[in-house]
Amino acid sequence: MIPLEEARAYVLDRCPAPVAGVVDLRGALGLVLSGPVGAVEAVPPFDNTAMDGFAVRAADTAGAPVGLFIVGTLAAGSVSDREVGVGEAMRIMTGAPMPPGADAVVMVERTSASADDTIVTVEIEVPVGNHVRCAGEDLRSGQEVFAAGTVLGPAHIGVLASIGCRSVAVYRHLRVGVLSTGDELVTGTPGPGQIRDSNRDALLALLEDSGITGVDLGLVADDEREIEQAILAGAADCDAVITSGGVSMGDFDYVKVVLNRIGDMRWMQVAIRPAKPLAFGLVDGTPVFGLPGNPVSSMVSFELFARPALLSMLGNTRLDRLRVTAVSDGGLGRHPDGKVHFARVMVGYENGRFRVSTAGGQHSHQLSAMAAADGLAVIPDGDGIPDGGEVEVLLLR
Ligand code: AMP
Ligand code: MG
């Protein structure tokens, strides 16, 4: 067996570098900037009011309450060339540009207009700049807005839209193929000895959850020729291929046999539980992840190897889930076996501490515990974590 870190480094070292391209802003969510973005416009582009109210000269409010002559109304989207003179006020709506002469805004709640709407009584004294949003207060023209390597979230998309950046230089999106292998698997109603293929759907969902497009490469029997054809087709069409099943010690585990023949592969026994067997390598330059078949193992293997590798191919520098230290409620039992265990746990937060408890049956076919899990507790080799003991947890969501 090899340590997790060695297997992970092997995989990450062999994944291709991210490929830069230009995409429409609408398709950029979750992608990583391949270069810095600069602002060619200021945001806001002009001084404007943050409140509905009256634009005034701050000096005129000294000794409030004071009466000022109302000289017009300014809606958002319109511009006034009428100056607000001494003793005057202009009614103004949120977002409207400050009229010339005015240097402050009094919110409408602190004013009252005369019945004939000619005079406004301002109830409070306000300083220069009161409720004024200055040009460039969010972004100055010419400044760097986002550095290369920024992962674009919804707010980044909003900022880019605010400076008119409709296409962005990012690392390209990935399409990743998913293939199931096993004579016992069916897509329809299982017959005697057969089960439904669930890994394909779970792995496609894991990809989608990571912002990656999954490509369904289907289900193939434990047959060398069929497996070879499916992997070659997937490698030609996709940026990476994920298979499940056929990498263990069974008589019909042909995935590792095929990969050995057609790829630059390494078959590893990683000192972890679940997900000990892993085949990884390149087929015609395309990374292929041969994940184990047990449903929990394939998902954990995706988490530990495929997800960080694919994130690196998308240009991310942060590849890992957050890890926190938690208190174990009820303990997490295990026996020494030379492996690090990843237990499926539910995670809560109470009185300033994370707390974990088992999410259910911990065998690698018990997928319902994976569904209930918020995290994977990392249990080092030994006798497990006692009730109330501390354990490191990798947060899955
Ligand atoms: P294998 O790694 O091919 O020996 O498979 C290990 C276990 O996982 C066996 O019990 C398989 O039936 C099961 N298994 C393999 N692939 C899938 C799949 N796609 N969906 C559900 N179970 C699977
Ligand atoms: Mg199998």
Side-chain angles (χ1 to χ4, degrees):
M1 291 194 294
I2 60 168
L4 171 63
E5 294 67 35
E6 184 184 328
R8 197 184 121 100
Y10 180 86
V11 170
L12 287 175
D13 283 352
R14 278 158 191 80
C15 280
V19 181
V22 174
V23 301
D24 190 89
L25 182 62
R26 287 284 171 91
L29 181 67
L31 297 178
V32 179
L33 288 179
S34 60
V37 174
V40 289
E41 300 167 5
V43 181
F46 46 81
D47 295 353
N48 68 95
T49 173
M51 290 284 170
D52 297 322
F54 285 87
V56 299
R57 292 170 179 257
D60 282 350
T61 65
V66 294
L68 302 173
F69 288 105
I70 300 173
V71 296
T73 296
L74 197 50
S78 48
V79 176
S80 173
D81 43 21
R82 165 86 166 68
E83 187 169 327
V84 174
V86 173
E88 294 180 343
M90 191 177 289
R91 184 176 272 118
I92 193 166
M93 308 304 146
T94 304
M98 290 296 288
D103 57 15
V105 170
V106 183
M107 68 198 292
V108 68
E109 291 89 338
R110 311 311 296 268
T111 66
S112 50
S114 61
D116 63 357
D117 207 39
T118 55
I119 307 270
V120 60
T121 303
V122 171
E123 293 160 8
I124 51 165
E125 250 177 61
V126 295
V128 170
N130 194 59
H131 295 319
V132 178
R133 306 191 284 212
C134 293
E137 221 169 60
D138 190 9
L139 298 170
R140 285 171 288 103
S141 176
Q143 83 168 77
E144 181 178 299
V145 180
F146 299 128
T150 302
V151 184
L152 298 176
H156 299 94
I157 301 290
V159 168
L160 292 170
S162 79
I163 56 171
C165 183
R166 299 306 309 181
S167 57
V168 271
V170 291
Y171 293 114
R172 215 163 50 68
H173 193 75
L174 296 181
R175 294 172 70 253
V176 174
V178 176
L179 177 69
S180 284
T181 70
D183 283 342
E184 75 283 25
L185 304 173
V186 291
T187 45
T189 309
Q194 296 182 323
I195 59 166
R196 293 192 169 89
D197 170 14
S198 61
N199 288 355
R200 217 162 10 128
D201 291 282
L203 290 166
L204 287 167
L206 280 170
L207 288 169
E208 193 179 336
D209 201 37
S210 308
I212 295 165
T213 300
V215 179
D216 187 353
L217 300 178
L219 163 64
V220 297
D222 289 315
D223 174 275
E224 278 197 48
R225 256 179 50 86
E226 265 194 57
I227 293 170
E228 176 172 336
Q229 276 174 2
I231 291 176
L232 285 175
D237 182 44
C238 300
D239 299 302
V241 172
I242 296 175
T243 70
S244 70
V247 294
S248 294
M249 308 293 276
D251 288 351
F252 309 105
D253 285 338
Y254 291 130
V255 172
K256 66 176 186 218
V257 177
V258 168
L259 288 176
N260 236 347
R261 183 152 41 78
I262 64 172
D264 172 13
M265 292 305 293
R266 181 167 167 198
W267 183 61
M268 294 169 265
Q269 296 276 78
V270 189
I272 56 174
R273 180 183 168 152
K276 183 170 74 161
L278 171 72
F280 175 81
L282 303 176
V283 171
D284 301 331
T286 302
V288 178
F289 300 84
L291 309 187
N294 273 306
V296 176
S297 307
S298 65
M299 292 191 77
V300 169
S301 193
F302 180 95
E303 271 302 326
L304 298 179
F305 302 109
R307 187 173 178 277
L310 296 172
L311 288 181
S312 81
M313 289 170 66
L314 282 165
N316 290 272
T317 47
R318 208 187 106 181
L319 307 180
D320 293 311
R321 299 280 197 183
L322 280 182
R323 285 183 184 224
V324 297
T325 301
V327 177
S328 166
D329 282 328
L332 294 162
R334 60 159 294 172
H335 297 295
D337 59 4
K339 299 177 202 162
V340 176
H341 289 200
F342 289 86
R344 279 68 74 203
V345 292
M346 298 187 288
V347 183
Y349 190 73
E350 243 172 66
N351 300 326
R353 301 285 335 242
F354 286 99
R355 309 195 75 93
V356 293
S357 54
T358 181
Q362 295 290 329
H363 291 290
S364 57
H365 63 288
Q366 292 174 307
L367 195 52
S368 53
M370 188 76 193
D374 305 303
L376 298 174
V378 187
I379 311 175
D381 193 19
D383 294 313
I385 310 293
D387 182 29
E390 284 195 339
V391 64
E392 191 176 271
V393 184
L394 188 155
L395 298 178
L396 292 174
R397 49 189 173 218

